[in-house]
Short mmCIF file of all heavy atoms in Angstrom, two decimals:
data_model
loop_
_atom_site.label_atom_id
_atom_site.label_comp_id
_atom_site.label_asym_id
_atom_site.label_seq_id
_atom_site.Cartn_x
_atom_site.Cartn_y
_atom_site.Cartn_z
N ASP A 163 -122.29 -54.77 -17.43
CA ASP A 163 -122.95 -54.04 -18.50
C ASP A 163 -122.20 -52.71 -18.66
O ASP A 163 -122.50 -51.73 -17.99
CB ASP A 163 -124.42 -53.78 -18.12
CG ASP A 163 -125.16 -53.23 -19.32
OD1 ASP A 163 -124.60 -53.26 -20.43
OD2 ASP A 163 -126.29 -52.76 -19.14
N ILE A 164 -121.14 -52.76 -19.51
CA ILE A 164 -120.30 -51.57 -19.65
C ILE A 164 -120.87 -50.68 -20.74
O ILE A 164 -121.08 -51.11 -21.87
CB ILE A 164 -118.86 -51.97 -19.99
CG1 ILE A 164 -118.31 -52.87 -18.90
CG2 ILE A 164 -117.99 -50.73 -20.16
CD1 ILE A 164 -117.05 -53.59 -19.28
N ARG A 165 -121.14 -49.45 -20.39
CA ARG A 165 -121.62 -48.50 -21.39
C ARG A 165 -120.60 -47.39 -21.57
O ARG A 165 -120.14 -46.80 -20.60
CB ARG A 165 -122.95 -47.91 -20.93
CG ARG A 165 -124.09 -48.88 -21.12
CD ARG A 165 -125.37 -48.33 -20.54
NE ARG A 165 -126.43 -49.28 -20.83
CZ ARG A 165 -127.12 -49.29 -21.97
NH1 ARG A 165 -126.85 -48.38 -22.88
NH2 ARG A 165 -128.06 -50.17 -22.17
N ILE A 166 -120.28 -47.14 -22.80
CA ILE A 166 -119.32 -46.08 -23.06
C ILE A 166 -120.00 -44.96 -23.83
O ILE A 166 -119.96 -43.79 -23.44
CB ILE A 166 -118.10 -46.64 -23.83
CG1 ILE A 166 -117.30 -47.53 -22.86
CG2 ILE A 166 -117.23 -45.50 -24.36
CD1 ILE A 166 -116.08 -48.14 -23.43
N ILE A 167 -120.66 -45.34 -24.91
CA ILE A 167 -121.38 -44.33 -25.69
C ILE A 167 -122.70 -44.01 -24.99
O ILE A 167 -123.34 -44.89 -24.42
CB ILE A 167 -121.63 -44.87 -27.11
CG1 ILE A 167 -120.28 -45.13 -27.78
CG2 ILE A 167 -122.45 -43.89 -27.94
CD1 ILE A 167 -119.34 -43.96 -27.79
N PHE A 168 -123.09 -42.74 -25.05
CA PHE A 168 -124.26 -42.21 -24.35
C PHE A 168 -124.11 -42.39 -22.85
O PHE A 168 -125.07 -42.61 -22.12
CB PHE A 168 -125.56 -42.89 -24.82
CG PHE A 168 -125.73 -42.78 -26.31
CD1 PHE A 168 -126.31 -43.81 -27.03
CD2 PHE A 168 -125.28 -41.65 -26.98
CE1 PHE A 168 -126.46 -43.70 -28.41
CE2 PHE A 168 -125.42 -41.55 -28.36
CZ PHE A 168 -126.01 -42.58 -29.08
N ALA A 169 -122.88 -42.35 -22.37
CA ALA A 169 -122.62 -42.47 -20.94
C ALA A 169 -121.38 -41.65 -20.60
O ALA A 169 -120.70 -41.12 -21.49
CB ALA A 169 -122.41 -43.94 -20.56
N VAL A 170 -121.09 -41.58 -19.32
CA VAL A 170 -119.98 -40.73 -18.87
C VAL A 170 -118.61 -41.14 -19.48
O VAL A 170 -117.85 -40.27 -19.92
CB VAL A 170 -119.93 -40.70 -17.33
CG1 VAL A 170 -118.72 -39.92 -16.84
CG2 VAL A 170 -121.22 -40.09 -16.79
N PRO A 171 -118.28 -42.44 -19.53
CA PRO A 171 -116.96 -42.79 -20.09
C PRO A 171 -116.74 -42.26 -21.50
O PRO A 171 -115.64 -41.80 -21.84
CB PRO A 171 -116.97 -44.32 -20.09
CG PRO A 171 -117.94 -44.69 -19.04
CD PRO A 171 -119.00 -43.62 -19.04
N GLY A 172 -117.77 -42.28 -22.32
CA GLY A 172 -117.65 -41.76 -23.69
C GLY A 172 -117.34 -40.29 -23.70
O GLY A 172 -116.50 -39.82 -24.48
N ILE A 173 -118.02 -39.55 -22.82
CA ILE A 173 -117.79 -38.10 -22.74
C ILE A 173 -116.35 -37.82 -22.32
O ILE A 173 -115.66 -36.99 -22.90
CB ILE A 173 -118.78 -37.47 -21.74
CG1 ILE A 173 -120.20 -37.58 -22.31
CG2 ILE A 173 -118.42 -36.03 -21.44
CD1 ILE A 173 -121.29 -37.23 -21.34
N VAL A 174 -115.89 -38.60 -21.32
CA VAL A 174 -114.51 -38.40 -20.87
C VAL A 174 -113.52 -38.74 -21.99
O VAL A 174 -112.59 -37.99 -22.26
CB VAL A 174 -114.22 -39.26 -19.62
CG1 VAL A 174 -112.75 -39.20 -19.25
CG2 VAL A 174 -115.08 -38.79 -18.46
N LEU A 175 -113.76 -39.87 -22.67
CA LEU A 175 -112.86 -40.28 -23.75
C LEU A 175 -112.79 -39.22 -24.84
O LEU A 175 -111.70 -38.84 -25.30
CB LEU A 175 -113.32 -41.60 -24.35
CG LEU A 175 -112.95 -42.87 -23.59
CD1 LEU A 175 -113.56 -44.09 -24.26
CD2 LEU A 175 -111.44 -43.01 -23.50
N ALA A 176 -113.97 -38.74 -25.26
CA ALA A 176 -114.01 -37.74 -26.33
C ALA A 176 -113.28 -36.47 -25.90
O ALA A 176 -112.55 -35.85 -26.68
CB ALA A 176 -115.44 -37.43 -26.71
N THR A 177 -113.46 -36.09 -24.64
CA THR A 177 -112.80 -34.88 -24.14
C THR A 177 -111.28 -35.06 -24.10
O THR A 177 -110.52 -34.17 -24.48
CB THR A 177 -113.33 -34.52 -22.75
OG1 THR A 177 -114.75 -34.46 -22.82
CG2 THR A 177 -112.80 -33.18 -22.29
N VAL A 178 -110.85 -36.23 -23.62
CA VAL A 178 -109.42 -36.51 -23.59
C VAL A 178 -108.84 -36.39 -25.01
O VAL A 178 -107.79 -35.79 -25.23
CB VAL A 178 -109.13 -37.91 -23.00
CG1 VAL A 178 -107.67 -38.30 -23.23
CG2 VAL A 178 -109.44 -37.93 -21.52
N PHE A 179 -109.61 -36.94 -25.97
CA PHE A 179 -109.12 -36.91 -27.35
C PHE A 179 -108.95 -35.48 -27.86
O PHE A 179 -107.91 -35.13 -28.39
CB PHE A 179 -110.09 -37.69 -28.25
CG PHE A 179 -109.65 -37.76 -29.68
CD1 PHE A 179 -108.74 -38.72 -30.10
CD2 PHE A 179 -110.15 -36.87 -30.62
CE1 PHE A 179 -108.33 -38.79 -31.42
CE2 PHE A 179 -109.75 -36.93 -31.94
CZ PHE A 179 -108.84 -37.90 -32.34
N VAL A 180 -109.98 -34.65 -27.69
CA VAL A 180 -109.87 -33.30 -28.26
C VAL A 180 -108.88 -32.42 -27.51
O VAL A 180 -108.35 -31.47 -28.09
CB VAL A 180 -111.23 -32.56 -28.36
CG1 VAL A 180 -112.12 -33.22 -29.38
CG2 VAL A 180 -111.91 -32.47 -27.03
N THR A 181 -108.60 -32.71 -26.24
CA THR A 181 -107.67 -31.86 -25.50
C THR A 181 -106.25 -32.43 -25.46
O THR A 181 -105.36 -31.89 -24.82
CB THR A 181 -108.14 -31.65 -24.04
OG1 THR A 181 -108.29 -32.93 -23.42
CG2 THR A 181 -109.45 -30.92 -23.99
N PHE A 182 -106.09 -33.54 -26.17
CA PHE A 182 -104.83 -34.27 -26.26
C PHE A 182 -103.61 -33.37 -26.56
O PHE A 182 -102.58 -33.48 -25.90
CB PHE A 182 -105.04 -35.26 -27.40
CG PHE A 182 -104.09 -36.41 -27.45
CD1 PHE A 182 -104.04 -37.33 -26.41
CD2 PHE A 182 -103.28 -36.61 -28.54
CE1 PHE A 182 -103.19 -38.41 -26.47
CE2 PHE A 182 -102.43 -37.69 -28.60
CZ PHE A 182 -102.38 -38.59 -27.57
N PRO A 183 -103.65 -32.47 -27.54
CA PRO A 183 -102.41 -31.79 -27.96
C PRO A 183 -101.95 -30.65 -27.05
O PRO A 183 -100.81 -30.26 -27.12
CB PRO A 183 -102.75 -31.19 -29.33
CG PRO A 183 -104.07 -31.76 -29.70
CD PRO A 183 -104.75 -32.13 -28.43
N PHE A 184 -102.84 -30.08 -26.21
CA PHE A 184 -102.51 -28.80 -25.59
C PHE A 184 -101.21 -28.80 -24.80
O PHE A 184 -100.34 -27.96 -25.03
CB PHE A 184 -103.66 -28.34 -24.69
CG PHE A 184 -104.82 -27.81 -25.47
CD1 PHE A 184 -105.91 -28.60 -25.75
CD2 PHE A 184 -104.80 -26.51 -25.95
CE1 PHE A 184 -106.97 -28.11 -26.49
CE2 PHE A 184 -105.85 -26.01 -26.69
CZ PHE A 184 -106.94 -26.82 -26.97
N VAL A 185 -101.07 -29.74 -23.87
CA VAL A 185 -99.88 -29.72 -23.01
C VAL A 185 -98.63 -30.08 -23.83
O VAL A 185 -97.61 -29.39 -23.76
CB VAL A 185 -100.06 -30.69 -21.83
CG1 VAL A 185 -98.78 -30.78 -21.01
CG2 VAL A 185 -101.20 -30.23 -20.95
N ALA A 186 -98.74 -31.13 -24.63
CA ALA A 186 -97.57 -31.56 -25.42
C ALA A 186 -97.10 -30.46 -26.36
O ALA A 186 -95.91 -30.14 -26.43
CB ALA A 186 -97.91 -32.82 -26.20
N ARG A 187 -98.07 -29.83 -27.06
CA ARG A 187 -97.73 -28.76 -28.01
C ARG A 187 -97.02 -27.60 -27.33
O ARG A 187 -96.16 -26.96 -27.90
CB ARG A 187 -99.04 -28.22 -28.63
CG ARG A 187 -99.43 -28.89 -29.90
CD ARG A 187 -98.62 -28.40 -31.05
NE ARG A 187 -98.03 -29.53 -31.73
CZ ARG A 187 -96.89 -29.49 -32.41
NH1 ARG A 187 -96.22 -28.38 -32.52
NH2 ARG A 187 -96.41 -30.56 -32.98
N GLU A 188 -97.43 -27.31 -26.12
CA GLU A 188 -96.84 -26.20 -25.38
C GLU A 188 -95.41 -26.54 -24.96
O GLU A 188 -94.52 -25.69 -24.99
CB GLU A 188 -97.71 -25.93 -24.14
CG GLU A 188 -97.53 -24.56 -23.55
CD GLU A 188 -97.76 -23.47 -24.56
OE1 GLU A 188 -98.79 -23.50 -25.29
OE2 GLU A 188 -96.90 -22.60 -24.66
N LEU A 189 -95.18 -27.80 -24.60
CA LEU A 189 -93.89 -28.17 -24.01
C LEU A 189 -92.81 -28.50 -25.04
O LEU A 189 -91.64 -28.25 -24.80
CB LEU A 189 -94.07 -29.37 -23.07
CG LEU A 189 -94.86 -29.10 -21.80
CD1 LEU A 189 -94.89 -30.34 -20.94
CD2 LEU A 189 -94.27 -27.95 -21.03
N ILE A 190 -93.21 -29.11 -26.17
CA ILE A 190 -92.19 -29.59 -27.11
C ILE A 190 -91.23 -28.49 -27.55
O ILE A 190 -90.02 -28.63 -27.39
CB ILE A 190 -92.84 -30.30 -28.32
CG1 ILE A 190 -93.45 -31.63 -27.87
CG2 ILE A 190 -91.83 -30.57 -29.42
CD1 ILE A 190 -94.38 -32.26 -28.88
N PRO A 191 -91.73 -27.35 -28.07
CA PRO A 191 -90.77 -26.32 -28.49
C PRO A 191 -89.94 -25.79 -27.32
O PRO A 191 -88.75 -25.53 -27.47
CB PRO A 191 -91.64 -25.21 -29.07
CG PRO A 191 -93.04 -25.59 -28.85
CD PRO A 191 -93.11 -26.98 -28.33
N LEU A 192 -90.56 -25.68 -26.17
CA LEU A 192 -89.85 -25.17 -24.99
C LEU A 192 -88.69 -26.11 -24.62
O LEU A 192 -87.56 -25.68 -24.41
CB LEU A 192 -90.83 -25.05 -23.82
CG LEU A 192 -90.29 -24.52 -22.50
CD1 LEU A 192 -89.88 -23.07 -22.64
CD2 LEU A 192 -91.31 -24.68 -21.40
N MET A 193 -89.00 -27.41 -24.56
CA MET A 193 -87.97 -28.36 -24.16
C MET A 193 -86.89 -28.50 -25.23
O MET A 193 -85.72 -28.68 -24.93
CB MET A 193 -88.59 -29.73 -23.87
CG MET A 193 -89.37 -29.72 -22.57
SD MET A 193 -90.34 -31.21 -22.36
CE MET A 193 -89.41 -32.09 -21.15
N GLN A 194 -87.31 -28.38 -26.49
CA GLN A 194 -86.32 -28.45 -27.56
C GLN A 194 -85.36 -27.26 -27.47
O GLN A 194 -84.16 -27.41 -27.66
CB GLN A 194 -87.00 -28.48 -28.93
CG GLN A 194 -87.40 -29.90 -29.30
CD GLN A 194 -88.21 -29.97 -30.57
OE1 GLN A 194 -88.85 -28.98 -30.97
NE2 GLN A 194 -88.23 -31.11 -31.20
N ALA A 195 -85.92 -26.09 -27.16
CA ALA A 195 -85.08 -24.90 -27.07
C ALA A 195 -84.11 -25.01 -25.90
O ALA A 195 -82.98 -24.55 -25.98
CB ALA A 195 -85.95 -23.65 -26.92
N GLN A 196 -84.55 -25.63 -24.82
CA GLN A 196 -83.68 -25.72 -23.64
C GLN A 196 -82.59 -26.77 -23.80
O GLN A 196 -81.56 -26.70 -23.12
CB GLN A 196 -84.52 -26.03 -22.40
CG GLN A 196 -85.37 -24.84 -21.97
CD GLN A 196 -86.21 -25.14 -20.76
OE1 GLN A 196 -86.35 -26.28 -20.35
NE2 GLN A 196 -86.77 -24.11 -20.18
N GLY A 197 -82.79 -27.74 -24.67
CA GLY A 197 -81.78 -28.77 -24.87
C GLY A 197 -81.66 -29.71 -23.67
O GLY A 197 -82.44 -29.62 -22.73
N SER A 198 -80.67 -30.59 -23.70
CA SER A 198 -80.56 -31.59 -22.64
C SER A 198 -79.31 -31.41 -21.78
O SER A 198 -79.03 -32.24 -20.94
CB SER A 198 -80.51 -32.99 -23.25
OG SER A 198 -81.41 -33.09 -24.31
N ASP A 199 -78.57 -30.32 -21.99
CA ASP A 199 -77.31 -30.18 -21.26
C ASP A 199 -77.50 -30.15 -19.75
O ASP A 199 -76.71 -30.72 -19.01
CB ASP A 199 -76.57 -28.92 -21.73
CG ASP A 199 -75.68 -29.19 -22.93
OD1 ASP A 199 -75.68 -30.35 -23.40
OD2 ASP A 199 -74.98 -28.27 -23.37
N GLU A 200 -78.55 -29.46 -19.31
CA GLU A 200 -78.75 -29.38 -17.86
C GLU A 200 -79.03 -30.75 -17.27
O GLU A 200 -78.57 -31.09 -16.19
CB GLU A 200 -79.89 -28.42 -17.53
CG GLU A 200 -79.47 -26.98 -17.71
CD GLU A 200 -80.57 -25.99 -17.38
OE1 GLU A 200 -81.19 -26.11 -16.32
OE2 GLU A 200 -80.82 -25.11 -18.22
N GLU A 201 -79.77 -31.57 -18.02
CA GLU A 201 -80.04 -32.94 -17.55
C GLU A 201 -78.74 -33.74 -17.50
O GLU A 201 -78.49 -34.46 -16.54
CB GLU A 201 -81.04 -33.63 -18.47
CG GLU A 201 -82.50 -33.32 -18.16
CD GLU A 201 -82.98 -32.05 -18.81
OE1 GLU A 201 -82.20 -31.42 -19.56
OE2 GLU A 201 -84.15 -31.66 -18.57
N TYR A 202 -77.92 -33.59 -18.55
CA TYR A 202 -76.64 -34.30 -18.56
C TYR A 202 -75.79 -33.86 -17.37
O TYR A 202 -75.13 -34.67 -16.71
CB TYR A 202 -75.88 -34.03 -19.86
CG TYR A 202 -76.33 -34.88 -21.02
CD1 TYR A 202 -76.66 -34.33 -22.23
CD2 TYR A 202 -76.39 -36.27 -20.89
CE1 TYR A 202 -77.06 -35.10 -23.30
CE2 TYR A 202 -76.79 -37.06 -21.95
CZ TYR A 202 -77.12 -36.47 -23.16
OH TYR A 202 -77.51 -37.25 -24.21
N ALA A 203 -75.79 -32.55 -17.13
CA ALA A 203 -75.00 -32.03 -16.01
C ALA A 203 -75.47 -32.67 -14.71
O ALA A 203 -74.66 -33.11 -13.90
CB ALA A 203 -75.13 -30.51 -15.94
N ALA A 204 -76.79 -32.74 -14.52
CA ALA A 204 -77.33 -33.33 -13.29
C ALA A 204 -76.88 -34.78 -13.17
O ALA A 204 -76.52 -35.24 -12.08
CB ALA A 204 -78.86 -33.23 -13.29
N ILE A 205 -76.87 -35.50 -14.29
CA ILE A 205 -76.49 -36.90 -14.24
C ILE A 205 -75.01 -37.07 -13.88
O ILE A 205 -74.65 -37.90 -13.05
CB ILE A 205 -76.83 -37.58 -15.59
CG1 ILE A 205 -78.35 -37.78 -15.66
CG2 ILE A 205 -76.11 -38.92 -15.74
CD1 ILE A 205 -78.85 -38.16 -17.02
N THR A 206 -74.14 -36.22 -14.46
CA THR A 206 -72.72 -36.35 -14.10
C THR A 206 -72.50 -36.00 -12.64
O THR A 206 -71.52 -36.44 -12.04
CB THR A 206 -71.81 -35.44 -14.96
OG1 THR A 206 -72.22 -34.08 -14.78
CG2 THR A 206 -71.85 -35.80 -16.41
N LEU A 207 -73.41 -35.20 -12.08
CA LEU A 207 -73.25 -34.84 -10.66
C LEU A 207 -73.82 -35.92 -9.74
O LEU A 207 -73.86 -35.75 -8.53
CB LEU A 207 -73.93 -33.50 -10.38
CG LEU A 207 -73.24 -32.30 -11.02
CD1 LEU A 207 -74.11 -31.07 -10.94
CD2 LEU A 207 -71.90 -32.05 -10.35
N GLY A 208 -74.31 -37.00 -10.35
CA GLY A 208 -74.74 -38.14 -9.55
C GLY A 208 -76.24 -38.22 -9.31
O GLY A 208 -76.69 -39.08 -8.55
N ALA A 209 -77.03 -37.34 -9.93
CA ALA A 209 -78.48 -37.39 -9.73
C ALA A 209 -79.07 -38.58 -10.48
O ALA A 209 -78.58 -38.94 -11.56
CB ALA A 209 -79.12 -36.10 -10.21
#
Side-chain angles (χ1 to χ4, degrees):
Chain A
D163 189 11
I164 302 166
R165 284 175 177 274
I166 290 181
I167 298 306
F168 305 145
V170 176
I173 293 170
V174 173
L175 280 176
T177 307
V178 169
F179 182 83
V180 292
T181 57
F182 198 62
F184 284 98
V185 174
R187 268 283 126 208
E188 200 55 49
L189 292 183
I190 290 167
L192 181 67
M193 287 170 106
Q194 276 174 336
Q196 289 180 347
S198 320
D199 272 2
E200 286 180 49
E201 276 85 2
Y202 278 129
I205 285 168
T206 59
L207 291 169

